[in-house]
């Protein structure tokens, strides 16, 4: 019993929960046609974090997905972050993909990053609790998911800001 | 069974060659169901100087595979004829101890040329895996070699977690409990996101998970229900169970439970509600089908909606024994029924939690491993 209709209804419900219509297709800068390609994070591009592993994952509906595993240079391996970047076909496609991801979260809804003072991406959702242990945001056509994966809970804000900065710099050099 | 070491490495045959000293370097796996009442044969090649001889060969020891009875081997031009000689395992005890991981040693001996004394020939070490029956999807026996052939690096855990279990339900229960209680995994209270799937929930990152089990790295110790259901399904099916990861939903209110890694009963950090929940399910994931949930423990007492809480692993527990019952349900509530013990006793809880089915991208809830 695979209830596709139920999944579609659920997806629509998730869109409503996240007020999709209020931000879908919008960018802070540039046009909705911006399409960045072949963006990679270099091993030394994020301060304080050491790149342990980078892997190109199986494409998701023909969108290129990269995963990076970082460990803090200062925590003896206890602070660990997973960064996933999905290269979507358009700004709107990135926003639809964001819905595809958050509908797989068990939390019914996540807070907007701005409510915790984190202003990154074109649209960004943080996590529940005192600090953001995970963040998902879209900047142009790139969907970014950053998750805490270490035994020592770590705010991902600074890391996510750095990633957003890298994407933005890439856009300035290669406007897509 | 056809096995491989992990995603990247197959196992070459013959499993043992001269120079190998570790049991883990010469693994073999047997399924109880498929070997029951059938002859089990191993094959061995011998070389000798002088070039032509006839010798009796036997092996003592053997653990679960038993000793090997004396058998005459003919050697021509220094090599056994046929090249690989068949030996029947007449004294194996596969099946009597259920699921098993055992390192065995065979002390091979020979005598020839009219001599009456057995002379030492070789000592071989092997890691033997015994499972209930041939693994089910995502694991495959054919084609071989294939990345989805059972991995010994996963069998190393599954056969220990389910050691001694003689039937599917007991094996899946033991594996569920091991995942929940013994691996240091912690629920993602911040968002309830999956950490060990990729490709839009299509694949299980088993290589990364094994890294976590071995040295605490991989993708870390934080998991959600999709991860727990996938881990349970994959390891249970590896020993012959037939589970699949399937959802219930959507958007329902929760009564306090003890999440994986939590010290006590309560709600997730994001509140007392799930957008959906995923478990390892039997059958057709209907109301009457039992499930295994490594993600949490429920309250087993006669009032699961208030304290005190008496924790229970949801193992082989029917999803709902009376799905159409008017709400709220009366107390005392004694049915061993999963959703009633997970959800609030009202329309927003029990009334909103229903079987949905596997995620469309999940290969019917049996995510391929990578």
């Amino acid at each position: 019993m695979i209830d596709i209709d139920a999944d579609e209804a659920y997806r629509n419900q998730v869109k409503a929960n996240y007020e999709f219509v209020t931000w879908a297709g919008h960018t802070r800068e540039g046009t909705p046609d911006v399409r960045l390609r072949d963006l990679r994070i270099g091993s030394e591009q994020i301060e304080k974090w050491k790149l342990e592993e980078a892997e190109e994952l199986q494409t998701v509906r023909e969108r290129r997905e990269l995963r990076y595993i970082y460990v803090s240079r200062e925590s003896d391996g206890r602070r660990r972050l997973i960064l996933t970047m999905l290269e979507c076909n358009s700004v709107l496609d990135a926003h639809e993909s964001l819905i595809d991801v958050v509908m797989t979260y068990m939390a019914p809804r996540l807070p907007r990053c701005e409510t915790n003072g984190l202003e990154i991406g074109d649209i960004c959702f943080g996590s529940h609790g005192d600090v953001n242990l995970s963040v998902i945001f879209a900047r142009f056509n790139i969907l970014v998911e950053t998750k805490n994966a270490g035994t020592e809970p770590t705010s991902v804000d600074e890391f996510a800001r750095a990633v957003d900065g890298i994407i933005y710099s890439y856009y300035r050099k290669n406007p897509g | 069974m056809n096995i491989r070491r992990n995603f990247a490495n197959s196992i070459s045959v013959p499993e043992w060659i001269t120079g190998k000293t570790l049991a883990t370097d010469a693994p073999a796996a047997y399924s109880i169901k498929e070997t029951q009442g059938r002859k089990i044969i191993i094959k061995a090649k011998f070389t000798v100087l002088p070039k032509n001889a006839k010798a009796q060969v036997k092996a003592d020891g053997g653990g679960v595979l038993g000793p090997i009875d004396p058998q005459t081997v003919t050697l021509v031009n220094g090599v056994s004829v046929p090249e690989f000689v068949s030996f029947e395992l007449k004294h194996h005890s596969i099946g009597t101890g259920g699921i098993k991981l055992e390192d065995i040693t065979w002390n091979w001996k020979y005598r020839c040329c009219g001599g009456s004394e057995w002379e030492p020939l070789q000592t071989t070490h092997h890691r033997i895996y015994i499972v209930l029956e041939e693994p089910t999807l995502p694991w495959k026996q054919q084609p071989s070699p294939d990345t989805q052939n059972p991995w010994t690096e996963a069998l190393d855990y599954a056969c220990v977690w389910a050691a001694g279990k003689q039937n599917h339900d007991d094996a899946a229960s033991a594996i569920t409990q091991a995942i929940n209680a013994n691996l240091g995994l912690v629920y993602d209270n911040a968002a309830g996101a999956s950490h060990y799937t990729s490709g839009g929930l299509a694949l299980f990152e088993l290589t990364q998970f094994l890294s976590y089990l071995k040295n605490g790295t991989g993708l870390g110790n934080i998991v959600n229900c999709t991860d727990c259901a996938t881990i349970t399904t994959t390891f249970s099916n590896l020993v012959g169970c037939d589970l699949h990861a399937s959802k219930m939903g959507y958007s329902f209110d929760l009564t306090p439970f003890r999440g994986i890694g939590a010290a006590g009963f309560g709600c997730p950090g994001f509140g007392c509600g799930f957008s959906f929940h995923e478990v390892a399910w039997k059958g057709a994931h209907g109301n009457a089908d039992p499930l295994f949930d490594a993600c949490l423990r429920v309250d087993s007492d006669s009032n699961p909606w208030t304290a005190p809480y008496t924790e229970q692993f949801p193992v082989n527990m029917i999803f709902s024994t009376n799905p159409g019952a008017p709400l709220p349900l009366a107390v005392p509530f004694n049915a061993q029924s999963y959703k009633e013990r997970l959800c609030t006793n009202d329309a927003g809880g029990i009334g909103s939690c229903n079987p949905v089915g596997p995620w469309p991208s999940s290969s019917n809830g049996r995510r391929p491993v990578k």
Side-chain angles (χ1 to χ4, degrees):
Chain A
M1 183 173 70
I2 301 175
D3 197 338
I4 300 291
D5 290 341
D7 280 344
E8 192 54 39
Y10 168 56
R11 192 173 190 281
N12 289 333
Q13 182 192 325
V14 172
K15 278 185 163 179
N17 284 350
Y18 283 86
E19 299 171 327
F20 181 74
V21 293
T22 65
W23 47 266
H26 300 173
T27 55
R28 288 177 198 260
E29 192 168 330
T31 71
D33 302 324
V34 174
R35 186 174 180 187
L36 305 182
R37 296 169 197 264
D38 302 323
L39 171 63
R40 284 179 179 271
I41 309 282
S43 59
E44 301 294 328
Q45 268 187 292
I46 301 182
E47 261 183 57
K48 299 181 189 170
W49 292 91
K50 179 184 165 197
L51 178 63
E52 186 177 273
E53 187 181 318
E55 182 182 358
E56 180 143 6
L57 301 175
Q58 174 178 299
T59 56
V60 181
R61 293 185 293 282
E62 297 177 359
R63 301 168 183 94
R64 185 162 165 259
E65 187 170 29
L66 293 162
R67 181 179 61 210
Y68 303 84
I69 302 174
Y70 287 88
V71 289
S72 165
R73 295 184 190 275
E74 300 160 357
S75 73
D76 212 12
R78 296 186 307 279
R79 286 189 218 148
R80 194 170 182 81
L81 294 181
I82 311 297
L83 167 66
T84 313
M85 298 179 70
L86 189 67
E87 191 178 294
C88 300
N89 299 320
S90 67
V91 168
L92 184 58
D93 185 36
H95 295 172
E96 291 281 359
S97 296
L98 188 151
I99 292 297
D100 287 338
V101 175
V102 295
M103 72 182 278
T104 69
Y105 291 1
M106 295 168 79
R109 188 178 172 161
L110 298 173
R112 291 281 289 258
C113 291
E114 293 87 339
T115 60
N116 285 332
L118 179 63
E119 301 214 2
I120 57 172
D122 296 322
I123 178 69
C124 176
F125 294 94
S127 66
H128 294 269
D130 296 336
V131 296
N132 284 319
L133 297 177
S134 63
V135 155
I136 181 167
F137 70 91
R139 169 72 87 172
F140 305 120
N141 63 313
I142 307 293
L143 179 63
V144 178
E145 198 182 14
T146 305
K147 289 186 283 201
N148 197 33
T151 52
E152 186 177 313
T154 307
S155 166
V156 300
D157 286 7
E158 192 183 340
F159 183 91
R161 270 193 203 97
V163 174
D164 190 42
I166 291 167
I167 299 170
Y168 187 72
S169 298
Y170 192 83
Y171 162 73
R172 301 292 289 178
K173 287 178 195 160
N174 314 275
Chain B
M1 283 165 32
N2 294 321
I3 55 176
R4 63 187 292 113
R5 193 161 306 283
N6 51 36
F7 187 81
N9 300 111
S10 58
I11 292 168
S12 53
V13 175
E15 292 84 354
W16 188 91
I17 54 172
T18 306
K20 283 190 178 180
T21 56
L22 297 175
T24 49
D25 287 340
Y30 298 87
S31 62
I32 294 169
K33 184 182 174 190
E34 281 79 8
T35 55
Q36 215 160 31
R38 300 173 69 174
K39 273 187 188 178
I40 303 176
I41 302 287
I42 65 158
K43 293 187 174 184
K45 173 183 173 180
F46 301 88
T47 55
V48 71
L49 284 172
K51 297 209 173 239
N52 295 333
K54 238 180 204 184
Q56 276 199 308
V57 174
K58 70 171 187 173
D60 298 332
V64 66
L65 298 188
I68 293 170
D69 289 344
Q71 185 170 317
T72 300
V73 175
T74 303
L75 299 113
V76 177
N77 295 326
V79 181
S80 48
V81 178
E83 184 180 8
F84 283 89
V85 182
S86 295
F87 292 86
E88 184 181 350
L89 302 182
K90 292 179 178 171
H91 308 291
H92 75 79
S93 56
I94 293 168
T96 56
I99 294 168
K100 186 175 277 190
L101 181 160
E102 187 177 326
D103 289 342
I104 68 158
T105 299
W106 268 316
N107 294 306
W108 294 85
K109 295 175 179 171
Y110 76 97
R111 64 184 177 192
C112 77
C113 319
S116 61
E117 293 296 311
W118 287 100
E119 303 288 340
L121 174 61
Q122 187 60 266
T123 298
T124 64
H125 304 280
H126 311 265
R127 174 157 289 186
I128 304 302
Y129 304 94
I130 310 294
V131 299
L132 295 175
E133 62 182 279
E134 281 186 356
T136 58
L137 292 170
W139 304 107
K140 296 175 182 173
Q141 281 297 289
Q142 298 297 335
S144 180
D146 184 84
T147 58
Q148 304 303 296
N149 295 152
W151 300 2
T152 58
E153 288 187 359
L155 283 164
D156 283 334
Y157 292 97
C159 289
V160 171
W161 296 341
K165 302 305 176 194
Q166 313 235 12
N167 63 64
H168 299 85
D169 291 340
D170 287 351
S173 297
I175 288 169
T176 304
Q177 292 184 37
I179 294 165
N180 179 282
N182 301 341
L183 307 184
L185 298 171
V186 175
Y187 185 67
D188 180 2
N189 276 294
S194 171
H195 287 234
Y196 278 98
T197 60
S198 63
L201 301 185
L203 302 172
F204 175 28
E205 294 280 345
L206 179 56
T207 303
Q208 295 286 356
F209 186 64
L210 291 170
S211 294
Y212 168 72
L213 293 178
K214 273 182 226 161
N215 52 35
T217 59
L219 302 177
N221 68 332
I222 300 168
V223 292
N224 81 340
C225 65
T226 297
D227 299 320
C228 291
T230 304
I231 297 164
T232 304
T233 296
T234 306
F235 282 86
S236 297
N237 290 2
L238 185 56
V239 296
C241 301
D242 190 15
L243 306 181
H244 64 286
S246 190
K247 285 177 296 175
M248 62 196 76
Y250 285 110
S251 300
F252 51 89
D253 298 328
L254 301 163
T255 193
F257 59 78
R258 186 178 173 193
I260 185 169
F265 274 68
C267 285
F270 50 76
C272 287
F274 279 160
S275 53
F276 73 96
H277 187 43
E278 192 165 352
V279 296
W281 220 314
K282 281 167 65 174
H285 51 259
N287 282 303
D289 291 316
L291 57 83
F292 299 81
D293 187 359
C295 190
L296 53 86
R297 303 178 207 183
V298 294
D299 183 1
S300 68
D301 66 22
S302 59
N303 188 347
W305 305 291
T306 60
Y309 305 112
T310 307
E311 67 181 41
Q312 176 186 7
F313 289 105
V315 289
N316 204 25
M317 197 172 187
I318 287 171
F319 177 72
S320 182
T321 52
N322 190 2
L327 298 171
L329 301 171
V331 174
F333 180 80
N334 292 314
Q336 288 307 299
S337 189
Y338 176 80
K339 83 163 175 174
E340 288 79 1
R341 294 179 181 279
L342 176 68
C343 302
T344 53
N345 189 6
D346 53 29
I350 294 169
S352 299
C353 179
N354 299 297
V356 176
W359 285 102
S361 60
S362 69
S363 298
N364 286 320
R366 296 163 173 92
R367 295 182 171 91
V369 291
K370 72 169 276 268

